[in-house]
Amino acid sequence: MTTLTVVRPGPMTTVQDWPGRAGYWSIGVPPSGPMDDLSFRLANLAVGNDEGAPGFECTLGGLAVTVDEATTVAVTGAPVTVTVDGAPVPTWAPVELLPGQQLAVGATGSLGMRVYLAVRGGVTVPDYLGSASTFTLGKFGGHDGRTLAAGDELPLGDTAASAPRRILDDEVPAFTTRWQLAVTVGPHSAPEYFTDADIATLYDTAYEVHFNSDRTGVRLIGPKPEWARPDGGEAGLHPSNIHDNAYSVGALDFTGDTPILLGPDGPSLGGFVCPVTVTTADRWKLGQLRPGDAVRFVPVRAAAAASPGAVGSARRANLPVVLSAGGDADDGVLARSMTADAETTITYRRSGDDNILVEYGAMTLDLESRARVHALEQRLRAESPRGLIDLTAGVRSLQVKFDPTALNQPAALDWIREAESQLPAADDMIVPSRTVSLPLSWDDPSTREAIERYVLGVRGDAPWCPWNIEFIRRMNGLGSVEDVQRIVFDASYLVLGLGDVYLGAPVAVPLDPRHRLVTTKYNPARTWTPENAVGIGGAYLCIYGMEGPGGYQFVGRTTQVWNHRHPLTAGGFEPEHPWLLRHFDRISWYPVSTEELADLRADTAAGRGSVDITPGSFSLSAHRAFLAREADDIARVRSAMEIARDEERGRWAAAGEFTRSAA
């Protein structure tokens, strides 16, 4: 077997395959895969591989390798100089590499960010959840779940799909510093969330790529929206806040006033609005956007979007501009209807050309809507037609992801609507609901460190700084921070979604409305959050599955909700999957010290320890009966909280929080 040795890894080189890790969006595992899928697939075609075979993604260039047996390689992506033993060789073409010869990739220049190296036969690495792609934040996939280092040795495959060939000129994508991205309108556009002027500004603006961008998302610098509503209600104080729903890769996500294009390592679930989504065929450009580049959004009709399955001229990637006769004029809403019992509205929203977002009811927190989402998800999963990729539940929504080359959007919409019309009444639903008891280190030092980093590196004048718990107290009109602590430990949190911030991270809401502390999310978001931090955003609680960005207001830290030792079992994890929690689980907290939590975390990481899990069920009709019995007191408590929230909004207005420029 041929072995490839890394002589020089460059700033960030990983193993990826295409289309990446599909089928796990619903529990917070991103697809990963090449950020520029087009250049990656063309590199494989150049050496005769299947276009999805594992290869290398090299950010900013700088990679150098040798092989111990003769093989064929190809380099594509951002323009770079490539040499073999110091002699220049072409890119976008197969190159013979002899034993001991060193292939060296130069640094990228002013055009593009990522370079791709394919080797005939592909790279041989273990599959993780069905893919070879590296997800470095989750520390899995690829070569030991990490970027490559000097001295790494990787075995290569010994079979290929066809003969090597040169990539034709009309197949090579166009690189520039002034990019146009084809976008479809939706899922959340004007006039519900943005004003018509906001959308006009979005299309008229040349946004600048921010230096703080990576595979999770490309942050942009541009004008602050006016917004079509004053706030997000129970979802949060900022008008960008919504009840958590699934995202699409390529969505333009407004985290507060900051627009971010979500990448292949981005979060699957979140509580921010996305007015437009980059089409599947144009998402390769996200991998080549360089800090300082200009980005313009060009609306196109979903039905006219180029096929993502193409790699040649049909992809239209060889053109430096997007050809468009205009976008869809439906504000991203594909259809509206009612449930069969005529009790609940349904909105079907476009989310790119490869997703439909099904929303139930008004923009409020209602467990009946979540029950309907569950019923629809079960029905669609059971039918699972060709082309279906993922079903991802949110608080009041279900995102249906499909391959547009196998199942087009109109056909997908018809199928979903037909399935929904046959669902039973939500009130009849009883679902399994385990009680999971977890430790909580209140106001943990790691969360204090994250706040301090935010103050020093992102924003020092935020209303939630320097102490998130005091901010939660103020927003909910409580007498002391001890009242915040009491409510969190008294509450039973029902898990409504997984993957809110990656890897089985729950978005959960207290069953008792009197325990629903409402906050807003950070604006802009944090760039660092400790693994398993516990926070509240809107009315929802989340446990962060891993280190990464985030916006929930911290209350503490707990033990792992993702088992990095998979498939070994430990502390309540099951052998068939590495995530701890399930939809409709109930989380309850018990207090531990910082030192006790450190011991518990070490035990879990080592494959020891245990979690107290009690079987049970959740009945929507029983919950409705509880709400009816306690209606008067619930109304009293909620009214006091809403008054406090209005007062906080007034303080924000007086301080200019709603008119500050986007960071």
Side-chain angles (χ1 to χ4, degrees), residues 427 429-431 586 617-624:
D427 200 41
M429 178 174 293
I430 299 176
V431 298
R586 308 181 200 210
S617 62
F618 171 76
S619 164
L620 182 60
S621 60
H623 179 67
R624 282 176 166 175

Side-chain angles (χ1 to χ4, degrees), residues 120-282:
R120 186 167 175 82
V123 183
T124 301
V125 294
D127 274 6
Y128 183 86
L129 297 179
S131 172
S133 285
T134 309
F135 180 42
T136 56
L137 292 175
K139 302 177 183 178
F140 56 70
H143 186 65
D144 296 333
R146 60 171 172 81
T147 58
L148 299 185
D152 282 344
E153 296 182 350
L154 294 91
L156 304 179
D158 55 8
T159 59
S162 60
R165 72 171 179 88
R166 182 179 67 84
I167 302 305
L168 303 177
D169 289 345
D170 66 356
E171 295 176 309
V172 177
F175 287 78
T176 180
T177 58
R178 303 187 65 82
W179 298 87
Q180 292 188 5
L181 300 183
V183 297
T184 58
V185 63
H188 299 116
S189 188
E192 296 170 279
Y193 301 94
F194 294 84
T195 65
D196 289 334
D198 286 334
I199 301 303
T201 298
L202 190 152
Y203 293 142
D204 291 343
T205 298
Y207 289 84
E208 180 183 345
V209 176
H210 193 278
F211 69 88
N212 187 15
S213 299
D214 54 26
R215 285 178 51 89
T216 65
V218 178
R219 186 176 296 221
L220 302 176
I221 302 170
K224 173 185 177 298
E226 296 175 0
W227 300 106
R229 55 187 192 150
D231 59 52
E234 282 187 302
L237 201 57
H238 194 275
S240 68
N241 296 166
I242 57 173
H243 297 282
D244 285 46
N245 64 197
Y247 290 138
S248 168
V249 174
L252 182 64
D253 185 33
F254 273 83
T255 58
D257 297 314
T258 303
I260 299 175
L261 284 164
L262 297 179
D265 282 355
S268 62
L269 203 67
F272 295 106
V273 293
C274 302
V276 296
T277 305
V278 179
T279 62
T280 47
D282 253 28

Side-chain angles (χ1 to χ4, degrees), residues 451-467:
I451 297 171
E452 183 177 356
R453 289 194 194 186
Y454 182 82
V455 169
L456 295 175
V458 180
R459 184 183 175 194
D461 65 344
W464 42 87
C465 295
W467 191 17

Side-chain angles (χ1 to χ4, degrees), residues 437-495:
S437 183
L438 293 175
L440 180 62
S441 169
W442 184 256
D443 197 20
D444 191 81
S446 66
T447 61
R448 288 286 194 139
E449 178 187 352
I451 297 171
E452 183 177 356
R453 289 194 194 186
Y454 182 82
V455 169
L456 295 175
V458 180
R459 184 183 175 194
D461 65 344
W464 42 87
C465 295
W467 191 17
N468 291 176
I469 295 174
E470 165 57 25
F471 175 68
I472 296 171
R473 180 208 67 77
R474 191 171 72 238
M475 269 203 68
N476 290 276
L478 301 177
S480 68
V481 292
E482 288 74 23
D483 289 334
V484 179
Q485 185 175 11
R486 172 185 53 79
I487 290 173
V488 170
F489 280 101
D490 284 349
S492 175
Y493 290 88
L494 187 70
V495 175

Side-chain angles (χ1 to χ4, degrees), residues 22-47:
Y24 296 94
W25 205 233
S26 62
I27 47 93
V29 177
S32 298
M35 198 164 180
D36 172 358
D37 77 285
L38 184 55
S39 295
F40 179 90
R41 292 160 63 193
L42 288 169
N44 269 322
L45 293 179
V47 298

Side-chain angles (χ1 to χ4, degrees), residues 21-32 129 135 215-216 245-251 262-270 283 351 354-355 357 377 381 389-394 398-401 497-505 562 579 583:
R21 193 167 282 107
Y24 296 94
W25 205 233
S26 62
I27 47 93
V29 177
S32 298
L129 297 179
F135 180 42
R215 285 178 51 89
T216 65
N245 64 197
Y247 290 138
S248 168
V249 174
L262 297 179
D265 282 355
S268 62
L269 203 67
R283 289 175 197 167
S351 187
D354 57 342
N355 295 280
L357 187 68
E377 178 186 6
R381 197 177 297 280
I389 297 175
D390 266 309
L391 296 168
T392 306
L398 180 70
Q399 180 169 280
V400 183
K401 180 176 179 59
L498 292 173
D500 186 51
V501 272
Y502 299 106
L503 302 192
W562 184 271
W579 52 96
H583 291 145

Side-chain angles (χ1 to χ4, degrees), residues 308-551:
V311 290
S313 57
R315 184 76 175 258
R316 301 201 289 264
N318 60 330
L319 299 176
V321 297
V322 173
L323 302 179
S324 172
D328 291 289
D330 53 17
D331 296 321
V333 176
L334 297 170
R336 298 185 192 271
S337 61
M338 298 289 293
T339 54
D341 57 12
E343 289 188 359
T344 305
T345 59
I346 313 170
T347 306
Y348 299 89
R349 299 183 183 273
R350 180 188 300 104
S351 187
D353 57 337
D354 57 342
N355 295 280
I356 293 175
L357 187 68
V358 185
E359 288 183 345
Y360 284 96
M363 184 57 76
T364 58
L365 174 52
D366 180 359
L367 294 186
E368 178 179 330
S369 293
R370 182 61 183 86
R372 291 185 183 276
V373 167
H374 180 76
L376 179 60
E377 178 186 6
Q378 296 301 105
R379 175 62 180 268
L380 297 181
R381 197 177 297 280
E383 296 185 4
S384 194
R386 178 177 175 270
L388 179 65
I389 297 175
D390 266 309
L391 296 168
T392 306
V395 170
R396 49 181 288 271
S397 61
L398 180 70
Q399 180 169 280
V400 183
K401 180 176 179 59
F402 48 87
D403 177 357
T405 65
L407 181 66
N408 65 39
Q409 201 160 64
L413 178 63
D414 289 344
W415 168 58
I416 297 167
R417 296 188 70 175
E418 175 66 21
E420 205 292 323
S421 70
Q422 298 173 15
L423 295 180
D427 200 41
D428 298 333
M429 178 174 293
I430 299 176
V431 298
S433 178
R434 309 177 305 170
T435 297
V436 182
S437 183
L438 293 175
L440 180 62
S441 169
W442 184 256
D443 197 20
D444 191 81
S446 66
T447 61
R448 288 286 194 139
E449 178 187 352
I451 297 171
E452 183 177 356
R453 289 194 194 186
Y454 182 82
V455 169
L456 295 175
V458 180
R459 184 183 175 194
D461 65 344
W464 42 87
C465 295
W467 191 17
N468 291 176
I469 295 174
E470 165 57 25
F471 175 68
I472 296 171
R473 180 208 67 77
R474 191 171 72 238
M475 269 203 68
N476 290 276
L478 301 177
S480 68
V481 292
E482 288 74 23
D483 289 334
V484 179
Q485 185 175 11
R486 172 185 53 79
I487 290 173
V488 170
F489 280 101
D490 284 349
S492 175
Y493 290 88
L494 187 70
V495 175
L496 302 184
L498 292 173
D500 186 51
V501 272
Y502 299 106
L503 302 192
V507 54
V509 65
L511 280 168
D512 188 336
R514 290 166 293 196
H515 293 152
R516 291 177 189 169
L517 300 170
V518 175
T519 71
T520 196
K521 304 175 185 78
Y522 279 43
N523 176 29
R526 290 184 302 273
T527 56
W528 180 75
T529 301
E531 180 187 53
N532 305 134
V534 180
I536 298 174
Y540 303 103
L541 176 137
C542 178
I543 304 169
Y544 286 77
M546 64 182 202
E547 287 189 13

